[in-house]
Amino acid sequence: MAALAGAWTREVAADAWPGPVNEGAPRATRLFVAGGATHAGKSTVCLGILQAALEKYGASKVAYVKAATQDEREDTVSRFCAANKIEYRSGKHCPIVYYAGFTRAFLDGSAGTSQQWLDRVASVVDDLAQNRKFVLIDGVGFPAVGSICGTSNADVARRLEAPVVLVVKSGVGASIDEANYGTAFFGSRDVPVLGVVLNRSASQGFYAREKILAPVHAYFAKTRLGLYGIIPDEPSLTNLRNEAASKDIDTAPIATHVRKHVDVEQLMSDAARDPWNSRRAPPSSTAMDAIDADDLRLRIQQAAAQLGAEVVKEKC
């Protein structure tokens, strides 16, 4: 399908974007999928993008990573990747896992620094990008999740130099407000948002897809954001990530549903032409100040258990 509203692409001229592209980052196209709110439909949109990338490049040239998570359970996207032999990192293997006690440990200085965590994400993504054509990066929650640790979606996208597509709830005023709010947050970190996808439009009534298409298109046509599509509601797509924890879901119809209503090919093309991707330098080895996340987590949990034991002892 043709794009609903023309997506803007930043000029490739040297002065088109502040700051140089990171030296040494592998050349694979990177795309960051962010949500305007929690449960906006990032997983749903990721399935459509991965299916298109799989067809275009082949499994060996595509990778997926959930950069940060609050839920370590296996999800539908990771199962899709495993079934199609796409290299991926998700669940407990995410570079950042916001488990209970993480933020308090970060604030008291016992959970590393923002830069260490951002470098950890970059190391994982750089590794996945080696000898590949396309890497899809999945965000967590709403744009500011992780900001208390300096690892918000915008901070991560900035570190990875990955342009963003924003998934927002469907509607008119509320959708546009959510898109502008999210775009402003990413913009505050100098991260480009290529455009938006509206998810789960009503099947009938005042907010049915065919009734909101014209006004939403008219708005985005006047902006530098691309309107890549409006996905109509489908019962099988509801709470996709939560349902995936308890049962298998046939992902093919979901991905097909997304691609029927979203111009995924245009989105991938816009991402590839973005200066962060088009100007990325050839690979070279760089040293990382690594952080042992598993060891750190164990120490935090042990400390929390000890603290709890002391509290009980005092009460006795």
Side-chain angles (χ1 to χ4, degrees), residues 248-264:
D248 290 329
I249 295 177
D250 186 0
T251 56
I254 299 171
T256 300
H257 181 73
V258 171
R259 295 181 66 188
K260 180 180 178 181
H261 300 286
V262 177
D263 195 346
V264 175

Side-chain angles (χ1 to χ4, degrees), residues 2-90:
L4 296 176
W8 68 282
T9 303
R10 293 183 279 124
E11 296 296 328
V12 184
D15 60 351
W17 193 248
V21 171
N22 283 341
E23 294 294 333
R27 203 180 269 280
T29 294
R30 303 175 182 194
L31 176 61
F32 192 105
V33 179
T38 302
H39 302 309
K42 297 184 297 297
S43 297
T44 300
V45 173
C46 281
L47 287 172
I49 296 172
L50 285 170
Q51 187 187 75
L54 183 64
E55 292 178 4
K56 182 174 183 178
Y57 300 116
S60 65
K61 298 297 182 182
V62 178
Y64 165 83
V65 58
K66 181 77 173 171
T69 190
Q70 297 168 310
D71 187 346
E72 297 179 80
R73 295 175 299 177
E74 183 182 27
D75 59 34
T76 303
V77 182
S78 62
R79 288 176 177 168
F80 176 90
C81 290
N84 290 281
K85 299 184 179 355
I86 295 173
E87 190 74 15
Y88 70 96
R89 301 287 185 275
S90 66

Side-chain angles (χ1 to χ4, degrees), residues 23-195:
E23 294 294 333
R27 203 180 269 280
T29 294
R30 303 175 182 194
L31 176 61
F32 192 105
V33 179
T38 302
H39 302 309
K42 297 184 297 297
S43 297
T44 300
V45 173
C46 281
L47 287 172
I49 296 172
L50 285 170
Q51 187 187 75
L54 183 64
E55 292 178 4
K56 182 174 183 178
Y57 300 116
S60 65
K61 298 297 182 182
V62 178
Y64 165 83
V65 58
K66 181 77 173 171
T69 190
Q70 297 168 310
D71 187 346
E72 297 179 80
R73 295 175 299 177
E74 183 182 27
D75 59 34
T76 303
V77 182
S78 62
R79 288 176 177 168
F80 176 90
C81 290
N84 290 281
K85 299 184 179 355
I86 295 173
E87 190 74 15
Y88 70 96
R89 301 287 185 275
S90 66
K92 64 182 180 180
H93 299 296
C94 289
I96 303 175
V97 178
Y98 294 121
Y99 48 82
F102 182 94
T103 53
R104 296 186 189 189
F106 180 87
L107 292 175
D108 71 20
S110 60
T113 67
S114 301
Q115 192 60 51
Q116 284 179 310
W117 287 107
L118 292 173
D119 286 348
R120 176 180 170 82
V121 179
S123 179
V124 171
V125 172
D126 284 350
D127 180 62
L128 289 172
Q130 293 289 348
N131 301 315
R132 290 191 169 88
K133 296 289 188 181
F134 184 80
V135 178
L136 186 65
I137 302 139
D138 193 354
V140 56
F142 49 91
V145 169
S147 60
I148 189 172
C149 303
T151 54
S152 71
N153 287 279
D155 294 314
V156 172
R158 171 73 181 184
R159 177 65 179 86
L160 300 178
E161 293 184 335
V164 171
V165 60
L166 191 62
V167 183
V168 301
K169 62 185 177 183
S170 188
V172 181
S175 298
I176 292 170
D177 291 345
E178 192 172 295
N180 286 331
Y181 188 73
T183 300
F185 185 80
F186 281 100
S188 71
R189 304 297 199 275
D190 291 329
V191 176
V193 176
L194 299 174

